[in-house]
Amino acid sequence: MRSAFYRTLDTLAQSSNRAAAATLIQTIDAEEREVVDGVIKTLARRREKEGHLAIIAKWHELDDERRQIASICRGRIGNALRDALLSTGQLFENACIVAETFLEYDQIPTLITIAEQPHGDRTARALELIDRLVDELTRRMHTSPGEPRQPQCEPMRRQVLDSLERSAVRFRNHQQRKLIDAFVALAGASCETLRRILYDPMNASFRAVVRTLTESNSPGVIHLIFEYLKSP
């Protein structure tokens, strides 16, 4: 029976029939641990957003072993994660935890959209998550001597920075200083948007940027200051 069960799951994992995902989702609340483990693994292997959303919705109920099983969907869970971040309640909180656990930096644009709502009930959580993701990205970029530099960080930095630059331009509207902190931490001395702000004391973002430069302990900000000091 065990071998037949796993053969069935393997067939469902590889099937292109979208109805397979619906069948699996209906089984995710089964009582038998072995069954649930198999369903989670199979949904994670498949590419349907619905199956990944079902895993995110259950995340707060999963123990460490099941979360490890679900982690095989890292890298293809993005569409489901985006929908979950735009939801509310437990699903939103679960999505935040998954995004941080999987280091889903490409969800930062969605988080910025949420964070720019000054009176939104998810604003503080989105800002917190942006701060943590950007902090981890800058830490990986500015490693200590002897530690390997992670080559995938630079393309991701540029992608995230693009969204943060646009947010900095909108600072007059949202007034979220943590978004400016994140922007400065990733900017680099060659960032034209940052230069324009620093050369214009009347810019809406000027004071917030200066505060970040003078108060932040972020590795990215410290590296930026060193870059400025070395430039002619």
Side-chain angles (χ1 to χ4, degrees):
M1 284 292 292
R2 284 171 57 89
S3 60
F5 171 67
Y6 286 115
R7 281 200 302 272
T8 300
L9 289 179
D10 190 57
T11 299
L12 290 173
Q14 299 179 57
S15 172
S16 59
N17 188 345
R18 294 180 64 85
T23 300
L24 290 163
I25 292 170
Q26 291 175 359
T27 318
I28 201 169
D29 290 318
E31 294 184 3
E32 298 84 353
R33 182 176 183 89
E34 187 177 31
V35 172
V36 176
D37 289 353
V39 168
I40 291 172
K41 183 176 182 180
T42 306
L43 285 172
R45 290 174 61 190
R46 293 179 63 87
R47 294 188 175 275
E48 285 95 353
K49 179 172 65 175
E50 295 78 9
H52 296 161
L53 271 171
I55 292 174
I56 297 170
K58 295 283 290 183
W59 196 263
H60 62 292
E61 300 177 8
L62 305 184
D63 56 27
D64 289 344
E65 184 178 346
R66 282 180 171 166
R67 290 184 178 189
Q68 184 61 38
I69 293 171
S71 70
I72 64 175
C73 66
R74 185 194 305 247
R76 55 175 177 264
I77 200 174
N79 289 337
L81 201 51
R82 190 173 301 108
D83 283 5
L85 286 170
L86 292 172
S87 67
T88 58
Q90 189 66 59
L91 184 58
F92 168 72
E93 179 58 27
N94 286 3
C96 289
I97 295 171
V98 172
E100 183 175 2
T101 301
F102 290 175
L103 296 177
E104 293 281 342
Y105 303 117
D106 54 359
Q107 297 301 322
I108 288 179
T110 300
L111 290 166
I112 290 172
T113 299
I114 299 168
E116 287 186 354
Q117 309 305 313
H119 306 296
D121 55 0
R122 299 169 297 164
T123 298
R125 185 69 173 98
L127 286 168
E128 176 190 25
L129 182 51
I130 291 169
D131 181 64
R132 291 184 179 184
L133 288 172
V134 169
D135 184 67
E136 180 61 23
L137 182 55
T138 55
R139 188 192 69 78
R140 289 171 180 246
M141 289 187 60
H142 305 293
T143 54
S144 301
E147 292 184 8
R149 185 179 178 89
Q150 307 207 16
Q152 72 274 25
C153 288
E154 180 56 27
M156 185 57 67
R157 182 194 75 86
R158 291 196 299 268
Q159 178 181 329
V160 173
L161 178 60
D162 183 62
S163 296
L164 288 168
E165 283 187 86
R166 291 196 295 270
S167 180
V169 172
R170 297 189 295 267
F171 181 72
R172 185 188 301 275
N173 298 324
H174 60 73
Q175 296 289 310
Q176 297 292 359
R177 288 189 171 184
K178 285 190 175 182
L179 293 177
I180 294 295
D181 290 344
F183 161 63
V184 176
L186 290 179
S190 62
C191 177
E192 286 299 323
T193 300
L194 180 58
R195 289 189 179 201
R196 282 197 300 270
I197 292 171
L198 289 174
Y199 289 157
D200 180 10
M202 301 303 294
N203 188 290
S205 304
F206 178 81
R207 290 185 180 182
V209 167
V210 171
R211 181 193 64 85
T212 299
L213 288 171
T214 55
E215 298 180 7
S216 176
N217 293 320
S218 164
V221 175
I222 294 171
H223 181 78
L224 172 65
I225 293 172
F226 279 130
E227 281 188 300
Y228 280 144
L229 290 173
K230 289 187 299 182
S231 62

